[in-house]
Amino acid sequence: MWWDPDTIDKTVTRQFVCHHLLPEEIERLDRPLGFGDGLTDGTYWEWINEKARRIFLILVDIGAPDQIFGVIDDSWDDEDLPIALDQVERLALTPSKDEKSERRFFYRQFYYLLRPLQKGEHAIYQEDEVVPLDVVDKKQTLPTGQSQGYHVDRVMLPNHPGMVFCRRRIPLGPGFGPGYLSHEDFLYEVNGIKNLQNQHLVSYFASYIQHEYGYVLFTLPADFTLKSFLTTTPSSIKNLEKKERRRLVLNWIHCLVDTVCYIHNRGLSHGNIKPSTILFSNDNHICFADFTRFNPEVMPAMSDKTSFDKESYDYAAPEQWFKPTGPPSPTHRRSTIASPSTSPDNNQSFFISRMTDYGVNSPMAMMHAPTPHLNPQAADIFSLGCVILELLSFLLKKQGRPFATHRAAKHKSPGRGGAVLDSSFHKNLGQVDSWMSQLVKDASKKDDQEFRAILPMLHVVGHMLSLHPSERPAANDVQTKMYQILRDAAGILEPHCVHQYGGWDFGIGSMKLNSPTQLSRNNSHDTMSIMTKRSSGTRSIEHKRTGSGGSSPGSLRRSESNREPERERERPRTNSDLSSSFQTLLNLRMSKVRHWQAPVYTEMRA
């Protein structure tokens, strides 16, 4: 039981007090107070009821309720709590000095002086204070050599019943080695993430400091990740009807895209999108892992900058793992990055240098945008496209190892012990394209309406996986198109997470981007358009929805400039049109892959 003020008031009643006193002591409750020389007409019961409820509970707790009369005669009340350990003997709890009883009173008083954590609050607890929370389960998520005192567990707060939080413990103090934060850095990071709140993003709830540790409570603790989901389908998904399962996965895609919109429209990037950072709860709620310095992946990465994270490599954007070897071609757009080292023996020197001081595994590196040529938001779009492709493969029962094997079928990297398979997306875009073509064929054989969304979604994914960062769509555009596909192709009239994110949030401290991209839409969900490339040009299909404000000027200009002749615009699309368009897109993209990669860029050994 947590002794909050309401619980104390409900517990300490006349009946409760009498239950813990002898008959002659009960009679004394209604006598006038023994101090004051008749200047007060109050009784002992009135003093307890109005001023000493906590003290009486502490005395009951240590087995000395009868001492309440002597405590009141010395004018002690709840306002005097907490009482220092060297002052407890003044209460005269025992006929002679008893250090054991005094220590018990000192430590137990803090259970009746609770300061519950509130949402958005940062608290500093003294060494002996009691933090009112219950540990649901506790586990050390990092190897002992890397954790350096960093722990993760699940807790519940008595003032927020039914909610489970993820609590992370971070050692504080200068000079303790990698993985530690100073008190100032801890508070700086806390203040930076307070306003980053989203239902599909692990978000800050509250924090506190005690015993030279900083503790942060986050929402949405996960039961499993997309990485495990792709290997073994959880029972919470298996038990769903097929139609409901397909719609759930399609809505997941829209939720993820919407959350990336939320992040990007605040001038941030996630920087660490991969299956292990896509989290699920047992009630099938999907969310992104947070991308703060408090993330369990970040702290060990700061202390071990040479560790290689294969999953991060596989789902990273091409520009994060390629370096230039010559001047850029004037006829093709590309993202050029200065190379600090070309030593063949240092197989990660380039990537580590680009990740500044946070290490190869750190999502913080992308948020700090170490060079003006590396667009972390465009890298997010590429990685998100990889994740969406995994989910679409799941709909067709082709996810996980078969997809990874297909990606690595034509590309092996040399290494000790024989060739090492390279299953990354960025190194095997040709195989990724052939996989998408196979998904189109498989989806065309399905009659259920949900499968009609796969082909147009693959159109969007194809653009998201463009080799050149400048050719990838913005998150807002991806959200617009995915919404239209769910409505028109999949028949989901009310997709999850339909939001319009506007404005900029520059209160996230060091997580701001150097050059935030411009918003592509300014008003509430008014005009939604999906662009599909065709051999004869670009076509725009618009869906009007009610909302505050009108169409943004940018969207209207795009619609007018891309408008086709009236008879062509009114002709309904067919599957052959879309399949032809999809193949044209793949052919165009692969021609750019071959031109961009061969003369200008070489890949660092992984």
Side-chain angles (χ1 to χ4, degrees), residues 342-394:
T342 57
S343 171
D345 296 328
N346 187 1
N347 63 345
Q348 294 187 63
S349 61
F350 169 69
F351 186 66
I352 293 173
S353 66
R354 292 272 61 82
M355 295 297 102
T356 64
D357 294 329
Y358 291 103
V360 63
N361 296 325
S362 173
M364 292 297 296
M366 287 301 297
M367 290 188 292
H368 285 273
T371 72
H373 304 290
L374 184 62
N375 184 345
Q377 291 190 346
D380 274 357
I381 294 298
F382 185 95
S383 299
L384 179 61
C386 299
V387 168
I388 293 175
L389 190 51
E390 293 277 18
L391 290 171
L392 294 177
S393 300
F394 171 81

Side-chain angles (χ1 to χ4, degrees), residues 120-135:
E121 177 185 74
H122 175 75
I124 298 178
Y125 288 95
Q126 300 302 315
E127 182 177 353
D128 298 307
E129 275 193 273
V130 176
V131 183
L133 54 78
D134 295 299
V135 177

